[in-house]
């Protein structure tokens, strides 16, 4: 038991630090109604301190080696354990080569101290609509592995996020791994977000991938908007504007206009719905039209 009444900020809870996924899944299954998993703790610890969360049991995943690490597969795809830290992706030359969009987004996640502790699985399971990881997984067509005492199941990223702080995880399931498909050699990508200060959650953000064919026309595109609605949103209507055509600034403007029309943003004390709608238009136009050749590079938009 941690502390006594009034001795610490959180309510008193029992603590367990399993060494295997099997052990963690068994604990979670037994105490599903009153247990919480802790990964990096960057979101859960403040919730505990404010007593917005009051678990009877805290299950610490940090001592399970099988949940960490980045591994490349023979087919060019790669897998990341759910406990892999943001900073590991940021510093990985393997990720930089396998998925440059993922690598480039990492410096925009909070601050170095947060990235040193925060995990990909914790971010995805927390499901903050302004977080970068849920949008990244959607843009990259990632697949998530959910593990319980009954076994494992795989879900595509577009089936995982359900809304604000809501996912497809069952009460007895642990997000254990994320698999990213191979990155095509002709893929171009873009990323932009607007926040009040560097490291803050995005008021609005857009990510895209554009795959070119042999004639340099767009063979496929994925445009994802995040930070404006209850969850990251794929905008296929905007992507369709680019498909089968040579990307140019006129098409980028049209994609931005359509994305703005299709997204229903929310307003709050940080930004109005109208302002977020304008950001969706501008950011989509920027990332779809900024990178012109497969060899160009810039900090946020590249190929």
């Amino acid at each position: 038991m941690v502390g006594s009444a009034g001795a610490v900020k959180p309510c008193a809870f029992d603590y367990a630090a399993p060494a295997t996924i099997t052990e963690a899944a068994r604990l979670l299954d037994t105490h599903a109604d009153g247990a919480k998993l802790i990964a990096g703790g960057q979101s859960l610890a403040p919730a505990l301190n404010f007593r917005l969360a009051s678990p009877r049991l805290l299950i610490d995943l940090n001592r399970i080696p099988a949940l960490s690490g980045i591994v490349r597969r023979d087919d060019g795809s790669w897998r990341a354990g759910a406990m892999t830290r943001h900073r590991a992706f940021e510093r990985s030359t393997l990720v930089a080569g396998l998925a440059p969009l993922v690598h480039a987004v990492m410096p925009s996640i909070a601050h170095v101290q947060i990235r040193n502790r925060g995990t990909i699985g914790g971010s995805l399971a927390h499901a903050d609509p302004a977080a970068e990881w849920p949008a990244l997984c959607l843009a990259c067509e990632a697949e998530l592995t959910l593990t319980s005492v009954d076994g494992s199941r795989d879900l595509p990223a577009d089936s995982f996020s359900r809304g604000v702080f809501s996912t497809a995880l069952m009460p007895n399931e642990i997000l254990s791994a994320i698999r990213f498909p191979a990155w095509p050699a002709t893929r171009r990508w873009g990323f932009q977000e607007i926040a009040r200060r560097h490291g803050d959650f995005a008021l609005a953000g857009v990510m895209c991938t554009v795959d070119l064919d042999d004639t340099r026309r767009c063979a496929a595109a994925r445009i994802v908007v995040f930070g404006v609605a209850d969850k990251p949103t794929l905008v296929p209507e905007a992507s369709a504007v680019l498909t089968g055509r040579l990307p140019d600034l006129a098409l980028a403007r049209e994609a931005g206009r359509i994305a703005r029309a299709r997204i229903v943003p929310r307003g709050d004390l940080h930004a109005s719905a109208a302002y977020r709608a304008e950001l969706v238009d501008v950011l989509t136009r920027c990332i779809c039209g900024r990178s012109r050749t497969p060899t160009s590079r810039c900090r946020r938009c590249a190929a």
Side-chain angles (χ1 to χ4, degrees):
M1 188 70 71
V2 175
S4 59
V8 292
K9 291 181 181 179
C11 293
F13 54 82
D14 289 323
Y15 173 83
T20 66
I21 300 175
T22 301
E23 185 183 351
R26 189 180 302 117
L27 282 167
L28 186 60
D29 188 67
T30 303
H31 304 278
D33 292 336
K36 280 283 189 182
L37 299 171
I38 184 166
Q42 304 305 291
S43 298
L44 180 58
L48 292 172
N49 288 339
F50 282 110
R51 302 200 175 192
L52 298 174
S54 302
R56 292 191 294 273
L57 174 66
L58 198 64
I59 304 172
D60 190 343
L61 301 179
N62 281 275
R63 299 183 187 180
I64 305 177
L67 288 178
S68 297
I70 301 167
V71 178
R72 184 187 187 278
R73 296 183 171 181
D74 292 339
D75 61 0
S77 66
W78 56 286
R79 174 189 180 278
M83 287 295 294
T84 308
R85 315 287 177 183
H86 309 314
R87 188 70 163 159
F89 293 95
E90 182 179 0
R91 303 181 72 176
S92 171
T93 55
L94 180 64
V95 173
L98 292 176
L101 174 58
V102 172
H103 188 259
V105 169
M106 291 301 102
S108 295
I109 297 178
H111 304 282
V112 172
Q113 295 89 335
I114 299 295
R115 296 197 295 275
N116 280 337
R117 290 296 303 167
T119 65
I120 178 175
S123 178
L124 290 169
H126 186 57
D128 191 307
E132 289 85 359
W133 269 120
L136 264 175
C137 288
L138 187 55
C140 294
E141 299 181 86
E143 187 175 71
L144 287 65
T145 300
L146 316 182
T147 300
S148 71
V149 292
D150 300 317
S152 295
R153 63 186 178 114
D154 296 324
L155 272 184
D158 58 5
S159 298
F160 184 72
S161 293
R162 296 286 177 83
V164 180
F165 308 135
S166 176
T167 72
L169 277 167
M170 300 297 290
N172 69 334
E173 286 184 320
I174 300 170
L175 173 56
S176 57
I178 301 90
R179 189 187 71 84
F180 293 83
W183 187 273
T186 58
R187 174 165 291 176
R188 297 164 64 180
W189 57 269
F191 161 63
Q192 284 279 13
E193 67 176 35
I194 296 294
R196 288 183 177 275
R197 299 162 299 184
H198 176 73
D200 284 0
F201 279 113
L203 300 176
V206 180
M207 301 178 189
C208 80
T209 62
V210 177
D211 296 341
L212 302 179
D213 62 19
D214 293 339
T215 66
R216 300 174 68 81
R217 286 178 167 80
C218 173
R222 290 176 72 83
I223 297 173
V224 175
V225 175
F226 68 101
V228 301
D230 289 348
K231 63 178 183 176
T233 305
L234 189 67
V235 193
E237 298 87 354
S239 302
V241 171
L242 307 176
T243 306
R245 305 168 76 175
L246 288 167
D248 58 27
L249 293 178
L251 289 180
R253 285 193 291 270
E254 179 65 8
R257 185 190 66 78
I258 291 175
R260 176 176 183 162
R262 294 296 181 181
I263 296 294
V264 181
R266 51 180 169 75
D268 54 32
L269 59 87
H270 301 293
S272 68
Y275 180 58
R276 284 195 166 98
E278 178 68 15
L279 288 179
V280 169
D281 186 348
V282 172
L283 295 180
T284 303
R285 184 194 323 159
C286 173
I287 67 172
C288 291
R290 189 171 178 181
S291 179
R292 308 302 296 277
T293 67
T295 57
S296 65
R297 288 287 192 277
C298 78
R299 190 169 67 90
R300 295 288 179 83
C301 301

